[in-house]
């Protein structure tokens, strides 16, 4: 199995742990990832500035993916996944914009193709690889762990666009975690946003959104939070201290990418999974796994 | 040479506001064979009709074209007009200038006028080829089938039975009564639902003219107005209806527990049970999906068999089929309640203390799962803060666009009952978008709720959350105060809307009745024929036509019954002569048409033609509905639709394609 | 004539509303019946007082200019809850995005980070520059020391195309 992969900006420029763990885990699952060459930002950050330009950027990514000749594109970032899915939808509906974008792409020798299937890590693992085969390949079950999941906003909303999981009752990430032997908890704040998109204009508010969720999770007494989006990684892991400070909470919540967790279950070395790069106290979690 | 009169109607400004009626009339006057062309402000008025009649006599007209609204509105009116002037009523052609022209092209009056001219030209071309026809006369069966035994079906059956007609009342459930039997009190008068319904249920069961078929469904329908033939299957109860005395000895010994449907699953009953405390008929029934003996082994259990002193239990009972002849049918199959678990954000079915309004109705009811005590089903405690959330599944493009029409009033009723029973200390909030209290005495009822200190929050919550220990909380923004309020109730009641019965899909095919966009049954005309379906002789009543409260349901049911009486009071009825006719000489006897006819109106008979036996198709005139399917299927063009012949259509097409003079 | 907001003496600007409509792919927002679900669940409400229902109503009435110049449209977290749960499919989020585009067009004050991002994309194709990461043990890593593949940045032809679409009216 071969998949093209589009990392977006945040993974490539700071959330290295996500990139490393995806690369390692997919290798172990016999899925070859082909990096896009000369790709660009998906367009999300400039939707607010000029929507048509954002659509151009997203569709350029699809055009570059098309050039690989592969029929599936892995997009591990929630925000990129949403932006590209919506841009693809707009291309099919807005004939004028479609023409404009196609001609811009042509100038670069690129061709648009709407047939490529867009995967997120979550639905690829859940729908394509399947829970059973993940259960089977996991050599080191994570029994005894009690984890919370945070799927993020943009891979589940809005349903009319066709998203990775159910908008109101997303269970795929939970099931993937449970497939490794760990328990997941349901909690009232599960669908609350990490706040990342506010970092541009209102960083303090953004951090306090993340802080509120961290506080709630700590009160719940879970062993850690499982995520699968680099923006959520930025907020809950990289900026955990600042976030918790906004709501006067202590920080001791291990935050881990699902692919890191899966990597551990697949017996991949911690360094290779980038576990030394997490800024939250993941060692608490790692200790529970080794005992 | 035909002598044609053309009349262009203004329909007030409906047509004349867009189409230049004078120009259309001038144009019509110049068409070949047109003797007179006139326009008038309301052709359907007394004066308009008189004008046509006088012209027919004065100018010796033999064909009439009226360019006006849809033929569904006034074709009958104008047929009567021309008949009164001595013309065969089928020598009339209606051209639709309103629905087909002015209403849809109001932006482009000039083009609309041109289109109107074309349509008039086509009408004139067709009217020349029309043939005089005579109505068919058929006798009618004096029996009526009523499907669904809710308050609508019961009311219609009683009205018909009192008028002397024999009624077969077919109910799918083991008892009649429908939704109303589940209700506690009824708005806006707060009279007890059972007290006003149960006597009617008993009357229906005892009435000598009503034959009650419970636990039964209609499986086949054929025939036509006045002469329907229906098949009904009565599913086995495994209890002999003649012997069972309703003593409930059996239910006490049955070891299998089953969620009680009548109580919306809030309590348990047994595999053998009596449907409800007021069941009519009060006869036990065994649920074959749960009974150990019916499910597993002939020799297992059998406790009820031992307990029943009347020896009524019969595990060998088989489905029974009945075939009946009826003159008319009333559909009264009711509605269902929206399943709020389709909106997981409201936590219905996830948290026991989020209930639907129909479940709460059972909780309020003295014969319900809590014996009428208002408690939180999660912990059994009396709630201190109660919230009602409106418009669940209704007025929502994601689910149902229609307003459920009873949700607001039901909530007001339930809130008032809670206040009356739990006193001043309980907090009651209603989160709403619009509060609809439009019926007689309804807004007064709304005021009564406000007087009782029920708090109305103008805004709907986006989601409901449950804290780990099971308590509920949610945020709601209130339009009145411009504040974001957090409410922590211990019980939430969702105003789940009334949605179409899932059986309607099946039933609409079975009875050849259409459904409107909202999924409910479609009435023949939204204002003028609200009780009829588009199929002659089939009427609709109650919440299967659209969400309704009890007063509207009963009004519609009595109305439908009156319509049936009107139809069946005569011994013979007249049918439109728009049937297919087969030219024997052209028929090759291939029998392609026979299975195509959905009304089984074609039979093939062998005839001796010039000494040899030949198969020939024949239309059974009384059964033909004039749908035209056979006409298009016949390879030798032997079949012709009267009044809609190929020649008549082609003349229109030719006229349409010819140059305008 | 017509409507006046007596609190600010503002009048609706129907041309601006037309311009707004031309940028929005769906007209469903006119169906908004002010049920307030969007605002009750808006992530940005408690912190920054964003009230999506109010924005939808103001746009409907024609107060588009005022909104495009306001700070409030920059408080949306893009969580998409309002799009998901609106019973009339009015999509307040999409309305807010169009208003932001209009703010840029009329050169209103907007958070500067957005414009900086445009320049970064123009320069490198990416919205952010690769960073060094300091671990909890105070070791410093970058892509190279982590053995991650080198990023291949788009070439000039991309810049030309991007500039074209950015400058287009
Ligand atoms: C929670 C709630 C509270 C309400 N409170 C009030 C109130 O206080 N006051 C008021 O005026 N109105 C109230 N209503 C409305 C009232 O219930 C309805 O107006 C009324 O029940 C409609 O009657 P119906 O006969 O049309 O339908 P139903 O009562 O639904 O009866 C339909 C019958 O048809 C049967 N059936 C279904 N399918 C078939 C089939 N295929 N073949 C044969 N039979 C079939 C069903 O089993 C049922 O017995 C309330 C409604 C709800 C949901
Ligand atoms: S949820 Fe939709 S309909 Fe309701 S107020 Fe918001 S935009 Fe309007
Ligand atoms: S997308 Fe924006 S406006 Fe909509 S709910 Fe989220 S934060 Fe509020």
């Amino acid at each position: 199995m071969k998949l093209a992969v589009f990392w977006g900006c945040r993974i490539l420029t700071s959330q290295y742990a996500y990139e490393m763990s995806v690369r390692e885990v997919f290798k172990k699952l016999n899925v070859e990832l082909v990096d896009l060459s000369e790709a660009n930002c998906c367009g999300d950050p400039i939707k607010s500035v000029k929507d048509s330009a954002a659509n151009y950027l997203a569709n350029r990514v699809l055009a570059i993916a098309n050039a690989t000749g592969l029929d599936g594109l892995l997009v591990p970032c929630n925000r990129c996944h949403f932006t590209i899915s919506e841009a693809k939808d707009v291309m099919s509906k807005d004939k004028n914009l479609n023409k404009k974008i196609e001609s811009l792409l042509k100038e670069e020798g690129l061709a648009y193709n709407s047939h490529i299937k867009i995967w997120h890590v979550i639905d690829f693992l859940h729908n394509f690889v399947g829970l059973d085969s993940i259960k089977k390949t996991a050599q080191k079950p994570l029994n005894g762990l009690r984890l919370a999941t945070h799927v993020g906003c943009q891979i589940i909303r809005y349903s009319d666009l066709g998203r990775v999981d159910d908008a109101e009752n997303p269970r795929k990430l939970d099931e993937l975690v449970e497939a490794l032997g760990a328990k997941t908890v349901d909690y009232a704040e599960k669908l609350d946003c990490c706040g990342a998109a506010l970092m541009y204009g209102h960083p303090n508010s953004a951090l306090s959104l993340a802080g509120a969720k961290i506080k709630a999770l700590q009160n719940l007494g879970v062993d850690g939070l499982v995520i699968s989006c680099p923006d959520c990684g930025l907020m809950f892991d990289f900026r955990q201290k600042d976030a918790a400070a906004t709501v006067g909470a202590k920080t001791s919540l291990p935050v881990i990418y699902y692919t890191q967790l899966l990597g551990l279950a697949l017996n991949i070395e911690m360094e290779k999974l980038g576990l030394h790069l997490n800024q939250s106290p993941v060692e608490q979690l790692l200790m529970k796994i080794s005992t | 040479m035909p002598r044609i009169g053309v009349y262009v109607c203004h329909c007030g400004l409906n047509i004349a506001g867009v189409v230049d009626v004078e120009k259309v009339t001038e144009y019509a006057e110049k068409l070949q064979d047109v003797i007179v062309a006139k326009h008038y402000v309301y052709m359907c008025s007394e004066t308009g009709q008189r004008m046509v009649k006088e012209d027919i006599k004065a100018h010796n007209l033999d064909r009439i074209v009226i360019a006006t609204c849809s033929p569904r509105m006034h074709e009958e009116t104008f047929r009567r007009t021309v008949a009164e002037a001595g013309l065969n009523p089928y020598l009339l052609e209606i051209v639709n200038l309103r629905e087909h022209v002015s209403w849809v092209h109001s932006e482009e009056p000039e083009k609309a006028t041109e289109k109107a001219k074309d349509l008039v030209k086509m009408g004139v071309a067709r009217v020349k080829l029309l043939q005089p026809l005579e109505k068919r006369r058929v006798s009618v069966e004096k029996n009526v089938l009523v499907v669904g035994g809710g308050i609508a079906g019961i009311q219609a059956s009683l009205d018909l039975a009192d008028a002397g007609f024999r009624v077969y009342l077919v109910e799918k459930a083991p008892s009649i009564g429908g939704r109303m039997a589940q209700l506690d009190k009824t708005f806006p008068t707060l009279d007890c639902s059972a007290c006003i319904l149960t006597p009617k249920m008993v009357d229906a069961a005892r009435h000598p003219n009503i034959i009650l078929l419970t636990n039964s469904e209609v499986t086949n329908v054929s025939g036509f107005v006045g002469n329907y033939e229906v098949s009904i299957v009565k599913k086995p109860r495994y209890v002999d209806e003649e012997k069972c005395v309703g003593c409930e000895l059996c239910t006490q010994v049955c070891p299998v527990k089953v969620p009680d449907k009548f109580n919306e699953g809030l309590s348990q009953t047994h595999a053998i049970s009596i449907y409800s405390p007021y069941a009519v008929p009060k006869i036990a029934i065994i649920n074959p999906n749960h009974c150990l003996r019916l499910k597993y082994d002939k020799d297992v259990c059998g406790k009820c068999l031992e307990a029943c002193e009347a020896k009524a239990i019969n595990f060998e009972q088989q489905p029974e089929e009945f075939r009946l002849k009826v003159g008319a049918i009333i559909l009264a199959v009711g509605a269902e309640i929206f399943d709020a678990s389709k909106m997981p954000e409201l936590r219905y079915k996830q948290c026991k203390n989020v209930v639907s309004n129909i479940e709460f109705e059972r909780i309020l009811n003295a014969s319900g799962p809590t014996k009428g005590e208002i408690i939180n089903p999660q912990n059994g405690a009396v709630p201190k803060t109660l919230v009602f959330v409106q418009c669940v599944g209704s007025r929502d493009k994601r689910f149902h666009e229609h307003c459920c029409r009873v949700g607001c009033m039901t909530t007001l009723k339930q809130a008032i009952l809670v206040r009356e029973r739990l006193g001043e200390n309980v907090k009651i909030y209603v989160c709403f978008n619009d509060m609809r209290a439009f019926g007689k005495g309804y807004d007064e009822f709304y005021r009564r709720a406000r007087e009782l200190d029920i708090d109305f929050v103008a805004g709907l919550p986006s989601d409901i959350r449950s804290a780990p220990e099971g308590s509920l909380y949610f945020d709601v923004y209130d339009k009145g105060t411009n504040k974001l309020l957090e409410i922590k109730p211990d019980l939430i009641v969702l105003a789940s809307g009334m949605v179409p019965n899932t059986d309607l899909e099946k039933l609409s095919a079975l009875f050849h009745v259409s459904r409107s966009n909202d999924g409910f049954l479609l009435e023949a005309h939204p204002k003028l024929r609200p009780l009829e379906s588009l199929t002659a002789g089939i009427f609709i009543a109650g919440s299967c036509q659209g969400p309704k409260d009890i007063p509207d349901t009963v009004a519609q049911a009595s109305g439908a019954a009156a319509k049936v009486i009107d139809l069946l009071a005569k011994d013979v009825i007249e049918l439109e002569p728009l049937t297919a006719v087969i030219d024997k000489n052209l028929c090759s006897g291939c029998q392609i048409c026979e299975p195509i006819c959905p009304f089984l109106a074609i039979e093939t008979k062998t005839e001796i033609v010039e000494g040899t036996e030949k198969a020939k198709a024949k239309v059974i005139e009384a059964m033909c509905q004039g749908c035209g399917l056979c006409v298009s299927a016949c390879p030798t063009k032997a079949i012709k639709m009267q009044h809609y012949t190929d020649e008549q259509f082609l003349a229109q097409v030719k006229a349409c394609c010819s140059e305008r003079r | 004539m017509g409507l006046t907001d007596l609190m600010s003496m503002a009048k609706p600007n129907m041309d601006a509303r037309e311009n707004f409509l031309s940028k929005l792919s769906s007209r469903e927002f006119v169906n908004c019946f002010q049920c307030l679900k969007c605002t009750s669940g808006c992530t940005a409400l408690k912190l920054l007082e964003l009230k999506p229902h109010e924005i939808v109503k103001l746009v409907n009435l024609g107060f588009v200019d005022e909104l495009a110049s306001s700070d409030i449209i920059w408080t949306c977290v893009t969580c998409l809850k309002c799009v998901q749960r609106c019973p009339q499919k009015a999509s307040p989020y999409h309305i807010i995005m169009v208003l932001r585009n209009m703010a840029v067009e009329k050169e209103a004050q907007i958070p500067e980070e957005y414009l900086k991002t445009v320049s970064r994309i123009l320069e490198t194709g990416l919205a952010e520059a690769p960073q060094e990461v300091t671990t909890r043990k105070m070791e410093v890593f970058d892509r190279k020391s982590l053995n991650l593949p080198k990023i291949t940045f788009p070439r000039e032809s991309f810049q030309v195309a991007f500039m074209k679409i950015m400058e287009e009216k």
Side-chain angles (χ1 to χ4, degrees), chain A residues 23-43:
Chain A
R23 286 188 193 278
E24 289 298 325
V25 163
F26 276 63
K27 203 189 298 165
K28 195 85 171 208
L29 296 172
N30 288 322
V31 182
E32 189 185 328
L33 294 181
V34 179
D35 283 41
L36 299 187
S37 70
E38 301 185 16
N40 49 271
C41 161
C42 74

Side-chain angles (χ1 to χ4, degrees), chain B residues 395-408:
Chain B
R395 308 177 71 208
D396 189 325
K397 287 190 178 170
R398 296 167 302 169
F399 306 102
H400 298 276
E401 272 202 66
H402 66 261
C403 166
C404 82
R405 288 182 87 247
V406 294
C408 289

Side-chain angles (χ1 to χ4, degrees), chain C residues 32-38 53 56 86-88 90 92:
Chain C
C32 166
F33 56 11
Q34 298 286 302
C35 72
L36 276 78
K37 270 197 187 198
C38 52
H53 79 279
V56 180
C86 172
Q88 294 297 318

Side-chain angles (χ1 to χ4, degrees), chain B residues 318-389:
Chain B
Q318 296 298 320
E320 276 178 86
E321 198 187 66
F322 301 89
R323 310 200 78 202
L324 309 168
K325 287 194 145 196
V326 294
I329 297 170
I330 296 181
L331 296 177
V333 293
E336 282 169 19
I337 308 289
F338 177 71
D339 174 10
S341 59
K342 289 184 182 153
M343 297 169 82
E345 66 270 30
L346 298 182
R347 304 283 167 263
Y348 178 68
K349 295 271 185 227
Q350 298 167 41
C351 302
K352 279 190 165 173
N353 43 353
V354 179
V355 300
S356 71
N357 49 4
I358 189 68
E359 289 169 352
F360 197 57
E361 204 71 45
R362 292 313 299 149
I363 291 177
L364 288 169
N365 192 284
S367 73
T370 60
K371 305 268 172 291
E373 254 185 87
I374 303 172
I375 53 161
N376 167 352
Q378 191 179 44
N379 56 15
V382 177
K384 294 196 182 68
T385 305
L386 219 118
V387 168
F388 292 87
V389 177

Side-chain angles (χ1 to χ4, degrees), chain B residues 189-205:
Chain B
T189 42
L190 292 189
D191 37 2
C192 149
S193 190
C195 310
I196 55 177
L197 176 68
T198 326
K200 280 194 182 273
M201 290 163 67
V202 175
D203 284 354

